[in-house]
């Protein structure tokens, strides 16, 4: 076993400072060695890279040529490149789940498919599989909750067996294969590793990290918790960390180093009571602007909310109006991207059928291609068509026939006489181009099958996006995401899946160009000089740990 060490320190900042010192020492000793910093996920990868760059600037140190920052799954991916093509994505798993007969009692829940998928994926990621099924079923009693657990286990086995029958592997299986390969002697070619922010060691990921700590000389930085003493409540974080040490870290390290606790600087806290999400983000943006004006670097300021996806339009509008630069790479931020907004409108055409407003919304965000076709006249054309009461496909066909025959447009609808542009004032060439395109889109939608193989939906989707935008990189990504779905799919379900895929996009932005806007899960492991918490509310955020609504903790412990 290699000489891996657990470094225990109070607080993220102390752990990070220790890591920087250790990496700096390793670079000085062997400048060209391959070193890696392993963190839980993508948000922390970016944060670490920014902080490393700032550290080198402040200390004037030499470039860390051999140091890279990767996620824990990135380690698994390097060990299993042959699994890349067969790993099943969440959307493919969702479609397979939709093809199964589900327990009737699930219909009482809102969005039962998403809830069930999350529960089953969590079970699988925690390492539950067929070897555990028989003893787990025997351990369950005759209570209603246990009966439901039995049904869920049967659904889980059916789902993952069906996935395997189509040649898929799950992410948990891929991580498990990576752990096996490390154990059997596969090499990553790393001289040393430094693990930061990794505290969730369960299932396959626990196996991988245990094998990693044994295969690569590693220093793993963790919170300082007592490893002995009276057992605490199951929901207590210290109990969880103690268990992690006992099961994952201690068997794979040669020693534990405890860093002395440094005195914490005084912390100034300020509470601002504001009504509503818009008011809270407005007050937050003004406070951030004052900090920036006082000379605080943007990279030292974080805005953290319980969940930011639904608030991204408000955040974007307010921060832009107050000239506050920000960086957000969480899902949902993509809604502010023009390209994504256009594609979301296209997906709405698929699910809702042809409508003028959806067509125009898509074209407004169509980029240079649309601007070249319609110039700045799209708004005028839309106003004229609205004044004419032109909304659905049949009305577009009537207008197209009149324009083709050289007939004048009909008089505006009196209900829309307040529109700024009337039919008589609009550019007829631009109107004809929009109407012709609308008729083409309406024909495509009318020929779209209500249910069919995924290949048929993808073919129609590509026809639609080419007609609207000529070329969209994000539109092409839809094929790569869904082309392996092996079951028949309803048109409405396809459109909903496209929307989920588009909203999961994370817009790219250069590092260090604004304050960080994060949800609470993404902020784990980071530390900033100024932190603004938005949306604090009693019993909502922070909140107590909740049980899985489908599998209570008492039953989950039996399945562990």
């Amino acid at each position: 076993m290699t000489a891996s060490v657990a470094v225990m320190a109070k607080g993220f900042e102390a752990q990070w400072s220790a890591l920087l010192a250790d990496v700096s020492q390793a670079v000085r000793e062997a400048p060209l060695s391959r070193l890696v910093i392993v963190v839980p996920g993508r948000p922390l990868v970016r944060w670490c890279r920014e902080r490393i760059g700032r550290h080198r600037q402040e200390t004037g140190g030499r470039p860390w040529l051999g140091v890279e920052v990767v996620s824990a799954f990135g380690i698994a991916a390097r060990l299993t490149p042959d699994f890349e093509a067969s790993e099943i994505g969440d959307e493919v798993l969702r479609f397979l789940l939709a093809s199964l007969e589900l327990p009737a009692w699930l219909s009482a829940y809102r969005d039962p498919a998403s809830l069930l998928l999350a529960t089953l994926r969590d079970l699988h990621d925690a390492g539950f599989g067929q070897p555990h099924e028989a003893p787990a079923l025997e351990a369950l009693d005759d209570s209603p909750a246990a009966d439901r657990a039995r049904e869920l286990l049967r659904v889980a086995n059916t789902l993952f067996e069906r996935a395997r029958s189509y040649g898929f592997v799950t992410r948990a299986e891929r991580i498990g294969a990576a752990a096996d390969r490390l154990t059997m002697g596969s090499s990553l070619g790393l001289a040393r590793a430094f693990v930061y922010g990794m505290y969730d060691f369960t299932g396959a990921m626990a196996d991988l990290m245990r094998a990693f700590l044994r295969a690569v000389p590693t220093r793993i930085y963790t919170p300082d918790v007592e490893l002995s003493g009276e057992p605490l409540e199951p929901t207590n974080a210290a109990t969880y960390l103690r268990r992690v040490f006992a099961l994952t870290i201690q068997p794979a390290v040669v020693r534990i180093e405890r860093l002395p606790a440094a005195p914490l600087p005084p912390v100034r806290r300020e509470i601002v009571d504001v009504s509503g999400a818009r008011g809270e983000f407005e007050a937050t943006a003004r406070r951030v602007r004052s900090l920036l004006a006082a000379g605080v670097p943007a990279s030292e300021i974080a805005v953290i909310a319980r969940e930011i996806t639904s608030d991204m339009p408000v955040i974007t509008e307010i921060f832009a109006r107050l000239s506050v630069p920000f960086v957000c790479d969480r899902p949902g931020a993509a809604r502010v991207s023009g390209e994504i907004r256009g594609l979301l409108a296209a997906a709405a055409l698929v699910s809702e059928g042809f409508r003028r407003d959806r067509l125009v919304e898509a074209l407004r965000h169509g980029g240079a291609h649309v601007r070249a076709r319609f110039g700045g006249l799209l708004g005028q054309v839309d106003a004229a068509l609205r004044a004419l009461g032109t909304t659905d496909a049949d009305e577009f066909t009537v207008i197209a026939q009149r324009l083709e025959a050289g007939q004048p447009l009909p008089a505006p609808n009196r209900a829309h006489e307040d529109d700024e542009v009337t039919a008589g004032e609009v550019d007829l060439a631009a109107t004809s181009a929009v109407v012709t395109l609308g008729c083409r889109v309406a024909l495509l939608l009318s020929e779209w099958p209500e249910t069919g193989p995924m290949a048929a939906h993808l073919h129609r989707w590509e026809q639609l996006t080419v007609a609207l935008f000529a070329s969209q990189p994000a539109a092409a990504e839809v094929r790569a995401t869904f082309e392996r779905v092996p079951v028949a799919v309803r048109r409405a379900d396809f459109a909903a899946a496209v929307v989920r895929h588009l909203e999961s996009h994370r817009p790219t932005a250069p590092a260090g160009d604004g304050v960080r806007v994060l949800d609470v899960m993404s902020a784990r492991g980071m530390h900033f000089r100024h932190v603004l918490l938005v949306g604090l509310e009693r019993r909502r955020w922070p909140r107590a740990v909740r049980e899985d609504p489908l599998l209570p903790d008492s039953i989950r412990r039996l399945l562990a």
Side-chain angles (χ1 to χ4, degrees), residues 229-243 545 553 557:
E230 293 298 320
L232 303 177
E233 292 298 318
T235 56
N236 190 297
T239 300
Y240 175 78
L241 291 171
R242 192 179 304 150
R243 189 177 304 143
V545 176
D553 288 347
R557 281 192 286 273

Side-chain angles (χ1 to χ4, degrees), residues 145-168:
D147 289 340
R148 292 187 173 188
R150 291 186 183 90
E151 290 188 85
L152 291 181
L153 295 182
R154 294 189 187 101
V155 171
N157 279 329
T158 303
L159 176 65
F160 293 120
E161 280 301 314
R162 180 164 296 189
R164 293 185 192 98
S165 72
Y166 287 115
F168 291 114

Side-chain angles (χ1 to χ4, degrees), residues 78-163:
R78 294 183 185 192
L79 289 160
T80 56
D82 50 317
F83 281 60
E84 186 69 35
S86 56
E87 183 185 340
I88 190 169
D90 282 353
E91 288 300 339
V92 178
L93 203 60
R94 181 186 289 267
F95 280 119
L96 287 180
L97 183 62
S99 69
L100 303 182
E101 184 176 351
L102 302 181
W105 53 266
L106 275 172
S107 60
Y109 291 91
R110 181 173 176 267
D111 193 7
S114 296
L115 188 62
L116 179 57
L117 185 64
T119 297
L120 298 183
R121 188 173 55 238
D122 188 40
L123 260 183
H124 195 268
D125 289 349
F128 183 81
Q130 282 187 328
H132 310 86
E133 182 180 9
L137 290 174
E138 291 177 4
L140 296 175
D141 57 24
D142 295 327
S143 66
D147 289 340
R148 292 187 173 188
R150 291 186 183 90
E151 290 188 85
L152 291 181
L153 295 182
R154 294 189 187 101
V155 171
N157 279 329
T158 303
L159 176 65
F160 293 120
E161 280 301 314
R162 180 164 296 189

Side-chain angles (χ1 to χ4, degrees), residues 397-528:
T397 301
V398 170
I399 297 297
Q401 292 171 346
R402 295 182 70 106
L403 290 171
E404 186 176 355
Q407 299 175 0
L409 295 176
N413 188 322
R414 301 304 296 176
H416 300 275
E417 61 186 0
D418 59 340
D419 281 313
E420 295 180 2
V421 181
T422 67
E425 298 170 345
V426 76
D427 184 284
L428 289 180
T431 303
S432 178
V434 172
V435 170
T436 300
L437 175 60
C439 291
R440 181 183 173 191
V441 168
L443 179 62
L444 279 172
L445 295 174
S446 69
E447 296 174 342
W448 199 305
E450 286 302 317
T451 301
M454 180 57 73
H457 294 297
L458 291 172
H459 177 64
R460 292 296 180 185
W461 172 254
E462 289 169 353
Q463 288 182 314
L464 176 62
T465 54
V466 167
L468 290 171
F469 314 117
S471 175
Q472 288 274 33
E477 290 177 15
V478 170
R479 171 171 287 280
T481 303
F482 298 109
E483 63 183 351
R484 294 190 298 156
V485 172
V487 294
V489 174
R490 294 191 311 127
R491 169 176 164 173
D493 293 338
F494 170 79
V498 169
V499 169
R500 286 192 300 271
H501 169 74
L502 294 172
E503 291 184 338
S504 72
H505 269 59
R506 304 167 187 263
T508 57
D513 63 347
V515 302
R516 297 299 299 269
V517 176
L518 304 156
D519 64 27
V520 66
M521 289 302 294
S522 300
R524 184 182 61 177
M526 304 180 190
H527 50 86
F528 303 87

